[in-house]
């Protein structure tokens, strides 16, 4: 049995002429958390939906536990989806306001024909307790809960079918900072307790750092850096990653005052009209610092190994120190 529970190869998702996800290859190991980060419009959420075949892939392969998902339909896709569940950004939009919490959690079991009415209700109580809620809330409706409590309910609903893979799409971005930490800690605990594999999607590198084993950084539909967490945060190889890290606040006020932020200039290019060569070059401080080398405008950089455990799609990967200012 392979060590990878999820193997994505050359995945592309097109909407008309626009490639929202462009030739993405990623692997998620069993029991691992892979962070997927990038600005709005980078393609990370589209990629997550293509894994579950909510958005159909235009080309490429998605293997879950060795089984191909692209093109899967009907009973086969339903059976695979039972083993993969998603937690969305806004629980209030993913939880039916007309249903009680108990009915919401019981529904997936009914759909898959699991258990009896009595056993399903017992399972609902068990899952609510697992995510830190009193089972008595099963009789209440989603609007009666805070954002953090509603997200706990959404997590319980995702876990009730005992999936092996959880895709968490910006699960804390709509929550207060203090509540974000609680949900992150809950996911960390559940991953260990239930032996889950987790694809954690966010735009905030500070959030991703505390939960991920490895991190993939996306820009305009492509993965531009993939690295073990400590490598990425300690020595980012791609100038885009470095710029994102420079925007993360540091708790020490003295260090924060001394830091020189790397502000990306220019607007994010339109996916319908990408620059030639490297799509990041129009905003890249390293491209400017090196005198705008021709290779950057002529050749698309492949995602290539920089050091063991770290790959980057940059012709000058690892030379980010040529841009003034610390990365963190």
């Amino acid at each position: 049995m392979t060590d990878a529970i999820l193997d994505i190869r050359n995945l592309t998702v097109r909407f008309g002429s626009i490639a929202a996800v462009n030739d993405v290859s990623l692997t998620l190991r069993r029991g691992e958390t892979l962070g997927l980060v990038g600005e709005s419009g980078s393609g990370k959420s589209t990629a997550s939906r293509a894994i579950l075949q909510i958005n159909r892939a235009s080309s490429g392969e998605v293997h879950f536990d060795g089984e191909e998902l692209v093109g899967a339909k009907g009973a086969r896709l339903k059976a695979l989806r039972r083993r993969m569940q998603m937690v969305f950004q806004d629980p209030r939009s993913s939880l039916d306001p007309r249903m009680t919490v108990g009915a919401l959690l019981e529904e997936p079991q009914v759909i898959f024909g699991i258990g009896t009415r009595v056993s399903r209700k017992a399972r609902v109580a068990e899952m609510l307790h697992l995510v830190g809620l009193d089972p008595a809330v099963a009789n209440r409706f989603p609007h009666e809960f805070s954002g953090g409590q509603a997200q706990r309910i959404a997590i319980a609903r995702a876990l009730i079918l005992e999936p092996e893979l959880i895709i968490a799409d910006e699960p804390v971005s709509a929550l207060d900072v203090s509540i974000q930490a609680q949900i992150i800690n809950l996911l960390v605990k559940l991953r260990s307790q239930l032996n889950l594999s987790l694809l954690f999607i966010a735009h905030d590198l500070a959030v991703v750092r505390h939960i991920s084993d490895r991190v993939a950084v996306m820009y305009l539909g492509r993965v531009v850096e993939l690295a073990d967490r400590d490598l990425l945060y300690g020595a980012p190889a791609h100038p885009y990653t470095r710029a994102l890290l420079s925007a993360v606040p540091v708790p020490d006020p003295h260090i924060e005052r001394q830091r020189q932020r790397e502000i990306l200039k220019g607007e994010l290019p339109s996916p319908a009209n990408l620059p030639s060569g490297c799509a990041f070059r129009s905003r890249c401080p390293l491209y400017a610092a090196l005198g705008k080398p021709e290779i950057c405008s002529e050749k698309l950089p492949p995602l290539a190994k920089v050091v063991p455990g770290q790959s980057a799609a940059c012709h000058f990967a690892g030379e980010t120190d040529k841009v003034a200012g610390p990365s963190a």
Side-chain angles (χ1 to χ4, degrees):
M1 184 177 289
T2 179
D3 184 54
I5 192 168
L6 187 65
D7 188 11
I8 303 166
R9 304 175 189 173
N10 310 113
L11 179 66
T12 296
V13 181
R14 290 187 174 276
F15 299 109
S17 62
I18 296 174
V21 176
N22 198 343
D23 198 29
V24 166
S25 295
L26 290 170
T27 298
L28 177 64
R29 302 162 187 154
R30 294 180 188 278
E32 177 188 43
T33 297
L34 175 65
L36 187 59
V37 300
E39 295 171 285
S40 295
S42 63
K44 54 191 188 298
S45 291
T46 302
S48 72
R49 284 161 170 75
I51 292 169
L52 293 176
Q53 298 299 289
I54 298 171
N55 292 330
R56 289 289 182 170
S58 303
S59 61
E61 303 172 15
V62 179
H63 297 272
F64 173 74
D65 197 19
E67 293 196 54
E68 175 64 87
L69 285 169
V70 175
K73 297 178 182 178
R76 179 168 170 263
L77 180 58
K78 180 180 177 181
L80 289 169
R81 278 179 172 168
R82 175 178 173 176
R83 301 167 62 194
M84 307 176 291
Q85 293 292 308
M86 179 173 277
V87 177
F88 295 94
Q89 176 179 358
D90 182 5
R92 299 191 187 284
S93 64
S94 62
L95 300 175
D96 190 332
R98 299 165 298 179
M99 299 174 70
T100 65
V101 168
L104 283 164
L105 269 63
E106 191 175 352
E107 183 183 43
Q109 300 176 85
V110 173
I111 291 172
F112 283 92
I114 298 171
T116 63
R117 182 175 176 83
V118 172
S119 67
R120 289 196 295 264
K121 287 188 178 300
R123 178 70 173 158
V124 167
E126 177 189 350
M127 295 310 300
L128 289 171
H129 178 74
L130 185 67
V131 299
L133 293 173
D134 187 336
V137 305
N139 295 320
R140 295 165 59 184
F141 290 86
H143 73 269
E144 300 179 60
F145 297 90
S146 67
Q149 290 172 326
Q151 195 60 288
R152 288 174 186 267
I153 294 166
I155 292 170
R157 191 173 195 267
L159 293 175
I160 204 158
L161 294 175
E162 299 182 314
E164 298 156 62
L165 168 66
I166 291 291
I167 299 176
D169 188 5
E170 301 265 14
V172 299
S173 62
L175 305 177
D176 293 339
V177 174
S178 60
I179 305 301
Q180 287 184 8
Q182 294 177 21
I183 298 300
I184 293 294
N185 291 337
L186 174 64
L187 288 170
V188 170
K189 183 191 79 169
L190 292 171
R191 185 192 77 167
S192 175
Q193 187 173 340
L194 303 176
N195 195 28
L196 295 168
S197 302
L198 182 63
L199 180 61
F200 186 90
I201 300 166
H203 62 269
D204 187 341
L205 273 165
V207 169
V208 170
R209 183 172 196 166
H210 295 291
I211 194 171
S212 302
D213 300 301
R214 291 185 300 140
V215 180
V217 180
M218 288 189 71
Y219 184 80
L220 286 174
R222 291 184 179 272
V223 174
V224 296
E225 184 160 359
L226 173 63
D228 295 340
R229 177 189 59 195
D230 292 343
L231 279 172
L232 184 132
Y233 285 88
H238 196 283
Y240 178 59
T241 308
R242 182 179 170 103
L244 290 179
L245 284 172
S246 78
V248 176
V250 174
D252 189 324
H254 177 71
I255 296 177
E256 182 67 23
R257 284 194 297 270
Q258 299 298 317
R259 286 205 309 163
Q260 181 176 342
R261 295 191 184 278
E262 295 175 18
I263 307 299
L264 294 179
K265 298 179 180 179
E267 296 294 324
L268 190 72
S270 167
N273 187 27
L274 294 176
S276 60
C278 175
F280 183 60
R281 68 179 174 85
S282 61
R283 304 170 72 197
C284 180
L286 181 58
Y287 175 66
L290 294 176
K292 300 184 177 181
E294 288 186 5
I295 191 172
C296 297
S297 58
E298 294 177 353
K299 186 178 179 182
L300 180 70
L303 186 68
K305 184 171 78 172
V306 180
V307 296
Q310 183 175 36
S311 299
C314 176
H315 296 299
F316 300 94
E319 297 187 37
T320 52
D321 57 351
K322 293 185 179 180
V323 181
S327 63

